[in-house]
Amino acid sequence: MVVAVSTKISTPRRSTRVAADILIEVQGERFAYAGETVTVNLHGALVRIAAPLKLGDRIIIYVHRTSKSAVAGVVFANYEESQFGIEFDRPEHIWGIDTPPSDWTASAS
Protein backbone atom coordinates (compact mmCIF):
# COMPACT_ATOMS: atom_id res chain seq x y z
CA MET A 1 0.00 0.00 0.00
CA VAL A 2 1.30 3.48 -0.93
CA VAL A 3 0.16 6.37 1.24
CA ALA A 4 1.05 10.03 0.80
CA VAL A 5 0.20 13.21 2.61
CA SER A 6 -1.05 15.92 0.29
CA THR A 7 1.28 18.90 0.19
CA LYS A 8 1.31 21.83 -2.20
CA ILE A 9 1.10 19.67 -5.34
CA SER A 10 1.44 22.48 -7.88
CA THR A 11 4.46 23.97 -6.08
CA PRO A 12 7.84 23.21 -7.69
CA ARG A 13 10.49 21.34 -5.67
CA ARG A 14 12.18 23.45 -3.03
CA SER A 15 15.58 21.83 -3.66
CA THR A 16 17.10 19.43 -6.17
CA ARG A 17 16.89 15.71 -5.43
CA VAL A 18 20.12 13.72 -5.63
CA ALA A 19 20.24 9.92 -5.91
CA ALA A 20 22.44 8.75 -3.06
CA ASP A 21 22.93 5.53 -1.09
CA ILE A 22 23.82 6.86 2.36
CA LEU A 23 23.76 4.78 5.54
CA ILE A 24 21.46 6.29 8.14
CA GLU A 25 19.81 5.53 11.44
CA VAL A 26 16.17 6.44 11.99
CA GLN A 27 15.47 7.13 15.63
CA GLY A 28 12.06 7.39 17.23
CA GLU A 29 10.77 7.69 20.76
CA ARG A 30 11.27 3.99 21.49
CA PHE A 31 13.27 2.64 18.55
CA ALA A 32 16.32 3.00 16.31
CA TYR A 33 16.61 1.26 12.92
CA ALA A 34 19.41 1.17 10.38
CA GLY A 35 18.48 2.17 6.85
CA GLU A 36 19.70 3.87 3.68
CA THR A 37 18.67 6.75 1.49
CA VAL A 38 17.34 6.46 -2.06
CA THR A 39 17.27 10.18 -2.86
CA VAL A 40 18.18 13.18 -0.72
CA ASN A 41 17.71 16.92 -0.84
CA LEU A 42 18.00 19.92 1.45
CA HIS A 43 14.46 19.39 2.74
CA GLY A 44 14.46 15.63 3.40
CA ALA A 45 14.84 12.28 1.69
CA LEU A 46 13.31 9.08 0.45
CA VAL A 47 14.64 6.36 2.75
CA ARG A 48 14.50 2.57 2.72
CA ILE A 49 14.12 1.08 6.17
CA ALA A 50 12.53 -2.01 7.70
CA ALA A 51 10.80 -0.02 10.43
CA PRO A 52 7.10 0.26 11.23
CA LEU A 53 6.92 3.99 10.44
CA LYS A 54 3.56 5.70 10.06
CA LEU A 55 2.56 8.94 8.40
CA GLY A 56 3.07 11.81 10.78
CA ASP A 57 5.67 10.01 12.93
CA ARG A 58 8.30 12.37 14.36
CA ILE A 59 11.81 10.99 13.91
CA ILE A 60 15.47 11.91 13.94
CA ILE A 61 17.63 11.00 10.94
CA TYR A 62 21.27 10.35 11.84
CA VAL A 63 23.88 10.15 9.05
CA HIS A 64 26.81 7.90 9.99
CA ARG A 65 29.24 9.41 7.47
CA THR A 66 28.86 12.99 8.73
CA SER A 67 27.73 12.38 12.33
CA LYS A 68 24.97 14.94 11.66
CA SER A 69 21.29 14.57 12.41
CA ALA A 70 18.00 16.34 11.74
CA VAL A 71 14.48 16.25 13.13
CA ALA A 72 11.89 15.19 10.55
CA GLY A 73 8.38 13.93 9.96
CA VAL A 74 7.19 11.01 7.84
CA VAL A 75 5.15 12.38 4.90
CA PHE A 76 5.03 9.40 2.50
CA ALA A 77 4.90 5.63 2.93
CA ASN A 78 5.32 2.77 0.45
CA TYR A 79 4.98 -0.27 2.69
CA GLU A 80 5.56 -2.83 -0.09
CA GLU A 81 9.04 -1.43 -0.77
CA SER A 82 9.74 -0.25 2.80
CA GLN A 83 10.31 3.28 1.51
CA PHE A 84 9.37 6.43 3.39
CA GLY A 85 9.48 10.09 2.49
CA ILE A 86 10.77 12.27 5.28
CA GLU A 87 10.64 16.05 5.53
CA PHE A 88 13.01 18.00 7.77
CA ASP A 89 11.62 20.57 10.18
CA ARG A 90 14.05 23.04 8.61
CA PRO A 91 16.30 22.76 5.54
CA GLU A 92 19.66 21.18 6.40
CA HIS A 93 22.52 19.62 4.45
CA ILE A 94 23.41 16.66 6.65
CA TRP A 95 24.20 14.21 3.83
CA GLY A 96 27.92 14.78 3.23
CA ILE A 97 27.59 15.37 -0.51
CA ASP A 98 30.80 17.15 -1.49
CA THR A 99 29.35 19.13 -4.38
CA PRO A 100 25.69 19.76 -3.61
CA PRO A 101 23.38 21.37 -6.18
CA SER A 102 23.56 25.17 -6.22
CA ASP A 103 19.99 25.56 -4.96
CA TRP A 104 20.92 23.81 -1.69
CA THR A 105 23.06 26.77 -0.72
CA ALA A 106 20.52 29.35 -1.90
CA SER A 107 17.63 27.56 -0.15
CA ALA A 108 19.45 27.35 3.15
CA SER A 109 19.92 31.12 3.44
Side-chain angles (χ1 to χ4, degrees):
M1 171 178 21
V2 177
V3 182
V5 171
S6 176
T7 56
K8 304 171 189 166
I9 295 171
S10 61
T11 304
R13 293 248 162 252
R14 294 173 289 173
S15 58
T16 303
R17 288 180 174 173
V18 175
D21 183 12
I22 299 170
L23 294 178
I24 59 169
E25 182 173 276
V26 175
Q27 304 166 349
E29 191 172 307
R30 294 188 178 118
F31 65 84
Y33 289 93
E36 62 189 4
T37 62
V38 178
T39 60
V40 299
N41 68 14
L42 193 63
H43 295 85
L46 179 64
V47 301
R48 184 176 303 115
I49 184 167
L53 299 178
K54 297 181 207 81
L55 292 176
D57 278 355
R58 304 296 301 151
I59 57 173
I60 296 172
I61 299 293
Y62 174 78
V63 179
H64 293 280
R65 186 165 104 188
T66 64
S67 297
K68 293 182 179 180
S69 60
V71 178
V74 177
V75 296
F76 169 82
N78 179 335
Y79 295 105
E80 285 91 24
E81 296 187 27
S82 297
Q83 292 184 349
F84 301 90
I86 57 121
E87 181 178 20
F88 294 152
D89 285 358
R90 62 185 176 91
E92 295 186 62
H93 177 25
I94 65 171
W95 307 116
I97 295 174
D98 294 330
T99 310
S102 60
D103 64 344
W104 286 22
T105 305
S107 296
S109 5

